[in-house]
């Protein structure tokens, strides 16, 4: 059924393209006018750089694209970018997988400052509204050389917008299926001395259910609010001060079973201060102070109203940082930075209230030895109170052969520190009876459990937990080519490989007298992700833009490859068990071999209107081992490949009123195993500028 819908989607897209391209040809613009203004990106080098000249694999999503596709949440935007896919977690949130790397390895920033709140490794990207976003900057590959831990797979930086000159504002409201409402109001003022803005957003939904055979919802009803403000004061031409704040709050029904229900709540705030000062034409200084708190609570009640359980998660993060920029001439730029992270977490089922302190320093050299060559060298050193120090180098270059073709390459080291859960968890499941211990909790918890008569035998000696759990680390390689064969066509190819070592996994460390096990965390696996990304854009005239992207991905465990090659893995079917070959090993869970996207944007300036249609495709992937050999192989059960198609139409009335309508997932694709695709969503949207 879903395959037929996917075929209809492709047919619909071809018909639309044919009808658009069959219209009378528009007179081509002058070659200078047809070139878009150079897009500027900050995240990749922490300096303003033209996107087209960067030697790193980066992607910029502009405000114009976000407005035209009528997206409400960050996840919707990211899910349509090549090499990215949103992955749902067990709590209903969505993390982002980049180049086959899990969501816990991608650092998410707002205006250059990190978001926190990864209760199980995943940071829910749908906490972030896109209504006040200026642009989204995506840097792929290990970026710890500038950003430290969690940037092992890459960085996504959400840049919020600044107010335009004078007094201005905007009201935006979108209503759709499942009683989903997203409404935002922004006000701003800007002159030569002062700029200030405030933004308020409300987002709510009745949720949805993909399985009618039980009484539980796939996503429970929720409502959340976002409040943010930003103010900048220019003392003079050389000195300015920026202060910003953000507050997010959400409440959601929490239904765990037919008998247990309650409520979950999230409160998050971010505060950011930044002082810029230009000492002279060559030296500039920056000081930033950032603090954030993420607090989540949940409670479950019995049918009689009595309390069944309570849970809490209270994380705090503080960072001061100073940075110097030295530009001796137009061909060279140096950055020197130093700071300190201070982080605490108070959480249910923790053996302690941990505190991390990690001072760091970093530097970067950005040079243009010739007009055709750009070279970037950088490194960062992180000390830490709970794990070994980390040195993170990075190097990249871009060589422009001519106006049509350029080559770029980069190599970088990334790391992810063990999180609080992996170090201090002390949890016992009350109904089943198994126990999960953080690495640092083992030496005290196991003796206590032995005294209480809970341990049958020790599988892993306690002495193995006297050493620190090592950070996960990766070396990332990227090799890309930019090609502009003729005016209006752009092609980009990027080859990538990420070698990940000291991957943190769980293992059985003891057997309990109740027949269950004790689990803990340890460094064991070596895995890799590698593949190819291809992007292309075609602009035949000033009305039509057609773009597409494709990713080929191989994500595998090196140890698994060895045991398959040695013929040590078997599978079972109705005829009995049989030996598997090396070619039968599929790879890591929840990774698709093929992903693609296709987008068509069409402008109707005479009608003050625009329309677009967008499609994404994901090939089959496995979620678990279904034949009992502990590996994902060709004989396991897979989620079938699928495509999702969205359409949006917007029309402006006068100068300040825009009405939009559209449908996400036009053909209503659903699969009970894919909890973040809810079915067809029809919506209407109104924007008012003043």
């Amino acid at each position: 059924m879903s395959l037929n819908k996917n075929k209809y989607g492709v047919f619909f897209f071809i018909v639309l393209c044919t009808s658009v391209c069959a219209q009378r040809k528009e007179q081509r613009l002058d070659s200078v006018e047809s070139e878009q203004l150079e897009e500027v990106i900050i995240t990749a080098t922490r300096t303003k750089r033209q996107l087209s000249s960067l030697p790193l694999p980066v992607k910029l999503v502009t405000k114009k694209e976000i407005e035209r596709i009528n997206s409400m949440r960050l996840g919707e935007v990211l899910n349509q970018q090549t090499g990215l896919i949103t992955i749902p977690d067990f709590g209903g949130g969505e993390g982002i997988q980049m180049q086959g790397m899990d969501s816990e390895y991608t650092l998410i920033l707002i205006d250059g400052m990190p978001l926190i709140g990864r209760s199980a490794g995943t940071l829910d990207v749908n906490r972030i509204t896109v209504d006040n976003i200026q642009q989204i900057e995506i840097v792929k590959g290990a970026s710890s050389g500038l950003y430290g831990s969690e940037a092992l797979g890459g960085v996504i930086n959400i840049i919020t917008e600044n107010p335009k000159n004078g007094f201005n504002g905007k009201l935006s409201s979108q209503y759709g299926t499942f009683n989903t409402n997203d409404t935002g109001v922004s006000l701003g003022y800007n002159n030569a001395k002062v700029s200030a803005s405030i933004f308020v957003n409300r987002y709510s939904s009745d949720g949805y259910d993909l399985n009618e055979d039980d009484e539980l919802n796939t996503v429970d009803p929720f409502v959340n609010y976002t409040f943010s403000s930003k103010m900048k004061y220019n003392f003079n031409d050389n000195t300015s001060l920026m202060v910003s704040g953000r507050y997010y709050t959400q409440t959601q029904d929490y239904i765990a079973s037919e008998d247990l229900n309650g409520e979950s709540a999230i409160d998050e705030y971010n505060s950011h201060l930044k002082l810029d000062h230009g000492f002279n034409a060559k030296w500039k200084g920056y000081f930033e102070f950032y603090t954030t708190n993420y607090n989540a609570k949940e409670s479950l009640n019995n049918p009689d109203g009595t309390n069944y359980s309570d849970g809490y998660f209270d994380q705090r993060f503080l960072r001061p940082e100073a940075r110097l920029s030295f530009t001796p001439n137009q061909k060279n730029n140096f950055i020197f930075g130093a700071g300190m992270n201070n982080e605490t977490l108070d959480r249910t089922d923790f053996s302690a209230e941990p505190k991390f302190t990690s001072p760091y320093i970093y530097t970067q050299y950005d040079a243009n030895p010739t007009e055709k060559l750009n070279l970037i060298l950088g490194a960062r050193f992180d000390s830490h109170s709970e794990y070994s120090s980390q040195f993170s180098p990075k190097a990249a270059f871009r060589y422009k052969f001519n106006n049509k073709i350029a080559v770029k390459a980069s190599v970088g080291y990334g790391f992810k520190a063990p999180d609080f859960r992996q170090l201090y968890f002390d949890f016992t499941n009350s109904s089943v009876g198994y126990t999960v211990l953080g690495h640092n909790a083992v030496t005290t918890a196991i003796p206590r459990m032995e005294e209480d008569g809970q341990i049958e035998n020790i599988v892993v000696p306690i002495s193995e937990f006297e050493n620190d759990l090592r950070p996960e680390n990766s070396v990332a390689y990227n090799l890309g080519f930019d090609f502009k064969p003729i005016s209006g066509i752009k092609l980009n190819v990027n080859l990538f490989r990420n070698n990940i070592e000291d991957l943190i996994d769980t293992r059985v460390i003891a057997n309990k007298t109740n027949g269950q096990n004790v689990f803990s965390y340890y460094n064991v696996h070596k895995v890799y992700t590698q593949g190819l990304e291809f992007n292309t854009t075609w602009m035949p005239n000033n009305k039509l833009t057609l773009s597409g992207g494709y990713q080929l991905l191989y994500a595998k465990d090196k140890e698994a490859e060895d045991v398959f090659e040695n013929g040590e893995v078997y599978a079972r079917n109705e005829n009995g068990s049989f030996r598997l070959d090396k070619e039968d090993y599929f790879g890591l869970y929840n990774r698709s071999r093929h992903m693609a996207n296709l987008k068509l944007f069409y402008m109707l300036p005479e009608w003050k209107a625009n329309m677009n249609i967008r499609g994404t495709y994901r090939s089959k992937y496995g979620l678990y081992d279904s034949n009992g050999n502990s590996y994902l192989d060709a004989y396991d059960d897979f989620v079938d490949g699928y495509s999702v198609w969205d359409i949006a139409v917007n029309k402006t009335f006068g100068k300040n009123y825009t009405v939009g309508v559209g449908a996400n997932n036009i053909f209503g694709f659903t699969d009970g195993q894919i909890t973040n695709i809810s079915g067809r969503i029809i919506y209407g949207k109104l924007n008012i500028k003043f």
Side-chain angles (χ1 to χ4, degrees):
M1 186 71 175
S2 62
L3 291 177
N4 289 334
K5 291 180 180 180
N6 292 339
K7 291 179 180 178
Y8 294 152
V10 175
F11 175 76
F12 181 83
F13 188 86
I14 294 173
V15 170
L16 180 61
C17 291
T18 304
S19 64
V20 169
C21 296
Q23 298 183 26
R24 64 181 181 87
K25 292 183 178 180
E26 297 294 324
Q27 182 180 1
R28 288 185 178 270
L29 296 176
D30 179 81
S31 60
V32 175
E33 295 176 339
S34 64
E35 291 295 328
Q36 292 183 327
L37 293 176
E38 286 288 357
E39 296 170 320
V40 175
I41 192 167
I42 300 172
T43 311
T45 63
R46 302 195 76 163
T47 58
K48 290 185 178 180
R49 284 287 306 272
Q50 290 181 350
L51 176 64
S52 61
S53 68
L54 280 168
L56 301 166
V58 296
K59 169 66 176 177
L60 187 148
V61 184
T62 65
K63 183 175 183 64
K64 181 180 292 186
E65 178 178 339
I66 294 171
E67 290 180 337
R68 288 177 179 175
I69 66 178
N70 295 329
S71 288
M72 297 186 294
R73 297 283 119 176
L74 179 62
E76 297 177 22
V77 180
L78 298 179
N79 208 37
Q80 298 181 11
Q81 310 306 316
T82 304
L84 306 184
I85 184 75
T86 54
I87 303 297
D89 67 9
F90 66 90
E94 292 183 47
I96 191 72
Q97 187 186 102
M98 181 186 297
Q99 290 186 342
M101 304 279 279
D102 277 334
S103 60
E104 59 190 300
Y105 305 122
T106 299
L107 181 63
I108 308 292
L109 310 172
I110 293 184
D111 290 329
M113 295 293 111
L115 289 178
I116 61 172
R118 298 174 184 263
S119 59
T122 298
L123 192 147
D124 184 14
V125 294
N126 285 327
R127 279 161 45 190
I128 305 170
T129 176
V130 299
D131 206 25
N132 68 329
I133 289 178
Q134 181 63 37
Q135 62 188 42
I136 302 169
E137 302 177 355
I138 303 165
V139 182
K140 298 177 181 178
S143 300
S144 293
L146 281 177
Y147 293 98
S149 180
E150 295 185 9
L152 185 148
V155 177
I156 297 174
N157 192 10
I158 297 97
I159 309 295
T160 59
E161 60 186 344
N162 295 313
K164 299 177 181 178
N165 289 334
F167 178 79
N168 51 81
K170 182 181 73 171
L171 168 66
S172 176
S173 184
Q174 180 169 317
Y175 181 80
T177 307
F178 307 121
N179 195 28
T180 302
N181 184 277
D182 191 302
T183 300
V185 178
S186 60
L187 298 172
Y189 176 78
N190 187 10
N191 62 26
K193 202 75 172 176
V194 178
S195 68
S197 63
I198 186 170
F199 170 75
V200 180
N201 176 267
R202 181 187 184 275
Y203 179 46
S204 64
S205 173
D206 287 346
Y208 56 87
D209 186 15
L210 298 178
N211 183 6
E212 297 181 356
D213 294 334
D214 59 35
E215 297 184 6
L216 304 181
N217 290 323
T218 304
V219 173
D220 290 321
F222 65 86
V223 58
N224 62 53
Y225 296 86
T226 300
F227 305 88
S228 65
S229 62
K230 183 190 297 186
M231 186 180 72
K232 183 177 181 180
Y233 182 76
N234 299 314
F235 295 96
N236 50 52
D237 292 340
N238 298 321
T239 308
S240 65
L241 175 67
M242 187 277 295
V243 179
S244 66
R246 173 180 171 271
Y247 176 69
Y248 171 87
T249 182
Q250 173 176 286
T251 56
Q252 184 172 21
D253 292 347
Y254 180 25
I255 303 175
S257 68
E258 296 180 4
D259 297 325
L260 298 175
N261 62 82
E263 184 179 82
S264 65
I266 297 172
D267 291 286
E268 175 194 9
Y269 78 79
N270 321 96
S271 298
H272 184 198
L273 179 148
K274 183 178 180 181
L275 178 66
D276 298 358
H277 178 70
F279 299 98
N280 51 47
K282 297 181 179 181
W283 287 92
K284 291 184 179 180
Y286 309 85
F287 174 77
E288 295 185 89
F289 183 84
Y290 176 73
T291 180
T292 181
N293 173 235
Y294 178 89
N295 186 288
K297 297 179 180 179
E298 60 185 31
S299 62
L300 282 174
N301 297 321
N302 294 304
D304 61 2
T306 59
N307 180 263
Y308 175 80
S309 67
D310 289 309
Y312 58 90
F313 182 100
D314 189 2
Q315 184 178 7
R316 298 176 184 272
F317 179 91
L318 181 149
R319 170 189 291 171
E321 179 179 298
R323 187 166 71 254
L324 280 174
S325 174
F326 175 53
T327 308
N329 51 53
Q330 294 182 349
K331 293 185 176 182
N332 298 279
N333 174 263
F334 298 85
I335 291 177
F336 311 94
M340 184 178 69
N341 297 324
N342 184 282
E343 187 176 2
T344 62
L345 177 61
D346 185 15
R347 181 179 178 178
T348 312
D349 299 315
F350 263 32
S351 62
E353 294 185 13
K355 177 180 179 181
F356 287 173
T357 302
S358 54
Y360 59 87
I361 57 173
Y362 62 89
T363 185
Q364 177 182 268
Y365 174 51
D366 188 347
N368 292 279
T370 70
E371 292 184 359
K372 295 185 176 182
L373 177 63
N374 177 228
L375 177 67
I376 294 179
L377 301 173
R380 173 170 166 143
F381 179 81
D382 288 79
S383 180
H384 199 279
S385 58
E386 297 296 329
Y387 63 83
S388 57
S389 300
Q390 296 291 304
F391 178 70
S392 308
K394 186 164 189 174
F397 79 89
R398 182 179 190 271
Y399 187 80
K400 182 179 179 182
F401 292 96
N402 50 49
N403 290 330
K404 292 186 176 181
I405 188 168
V407 61
K408 56 187 177 183
S410 64
V411 57
Y413 174 87
F415 75 96
K416 181 186 178 296
D419 61 35
F420 288 116
R421 170 179 51 96
Q422 294 163 339
L423 295 178
Y424 299 103
F425 213 31
D426 188 350
F427 169 76
T428 298
N429 184 282
S430 58
S431 57
V432 180
Y434 66 86
T435 297
V436 182
L437 298 175
H439 184 90
N440 291 7
V442 170
T443 55
T444 55
I446 291 296
R448 184 190 70 231
M449 296 174 69
E450 284 185 304
E451 290 182 4
D452 293 339
Q454 299 181 42
I455 300 298
E456 181 72 27
N457 66 285
I458 302 294
V459 177
V460 179
I462 296 179
S463 59
E464 290 196 17
F465 295 88
E466 294 175 355
N467 297 321
D468 293 339
L469 192 63
R470 296 186 301 275
E472 299 170 285
N473 59 86
S474 171
V475 179
Y477 304 90
N478 284 270
L479 175 64
F481 302 89
D482 296 327
F483 186 44
K484 298 179 182 179
I486 60 175
S487 178
I489 293 182
K490 296 180 181 179
L491 303 172
N492 170 264
V493 178
N494 184 59
L495 305 172
F496 65 88
R497 181 178 173 99
N498 299 288
N499 291 322
I500 310 163
E501 296 190 357
D502 288 331
L503 193 71
I504 297 175
D505 203 351
T506 57
R507 61 175 168 176
V508 176
I509 65 169
N511 305 127
K512 301 181 69 173
T513 53
N514 63 359
Q516 296 296 321
N517 296 317
V518 181
F519 300 86
S520 190
Y521 299 90
Y522 74 122
N523 298 106
V524 58
H525 288 306
K526 294 182 179 180
V527 305
Y528 68 86
T529 70
Q530 67 180 22
L532 174 149
E533 293 177 350
F534 172 78
N535 288 282
T536 182
T537 302
W538 179 45
M539 297 179 62
N541 53 54
N542 66 324
K543 291 186 176 182
L544 175 65
T545 302
L546 181 64
S547 64
Y550 166 75
Q551 176 182 266
L552 172 67
L553 174 68
Y554 293 89
K556 297 189 175 184
D557 185 319
K558 293 181 181 179
E559 179 183 334
E561 285 186 316
D562 292 338
V563 296
F564 271 83
E565 187 172 10
N566 295 334
E568 301 174 16
V569 183
Y570 291 80
R572 179 181 294 275
N573 58 21
E574 62 275 4
N575 298 319
S577 62
F578 56 96
R579 180 180 294 174
L580 297 179
D581 298 324
K582 181 179 179 181
E583 292 73 19
D584 294 324
Y585 176 47
F586 188 84
L588 302 182
Y589 298 105
N590 213 347
R591 271 79 168 180
S592 294
R593 188 66 42 82
H594 309 281
M595 294 197 304
N597 63 78
L598 198 58
K599 306 174 188 177
L600 182 147
F601 290 85
Y602 190 67
M603 300 292 297
L604 295 166
E606 62 273 17
W607 291 357
K608 294 185 178 180
N610 65 80
M611 63 175 296
N612 61 82
I613 183 167
R614 307 164 326 272
T616 58
Y617 168 75
R618 183 180 186 187
S619 67
K620 71 173 186 177
Y621 58 96
L623 291 174
Y624 55 89
D625 166 41
S626 60
N627 56 27
N629 58 24
S630 302
Y631 298 100
L632 182 62
D633 59 69
Y635 298 93
D636 280 310
D637 296 330
F638 286 81
V639 179
D640 292 333
Y642 64 91
S643 67
V644 173
W645 294 85
D646 305 333
I647 189 169
V649 179
N650 302 288
K651 177 172 173 53
T652 300
F653 297 90
K655 294 183 178 180
N656 300 323
Y657 301 89
T658 301
V659 175
V661 294
N664 294 337
N665 194 3
I666 303 170
F667 303 103
F669 168 77
T670 59
D671 186 318
Q673 300 177 88
I674 310 172
T675 58
N676 62 331
I677 298 181
S678 60
R680 183 185 301 107
I681 297 177
I682 309 295
Y683 65 84
K685 187 171 185 177
L686 173 65
N687 287 340
I688 302 175
K689 296 180 180 180
F690 51 89

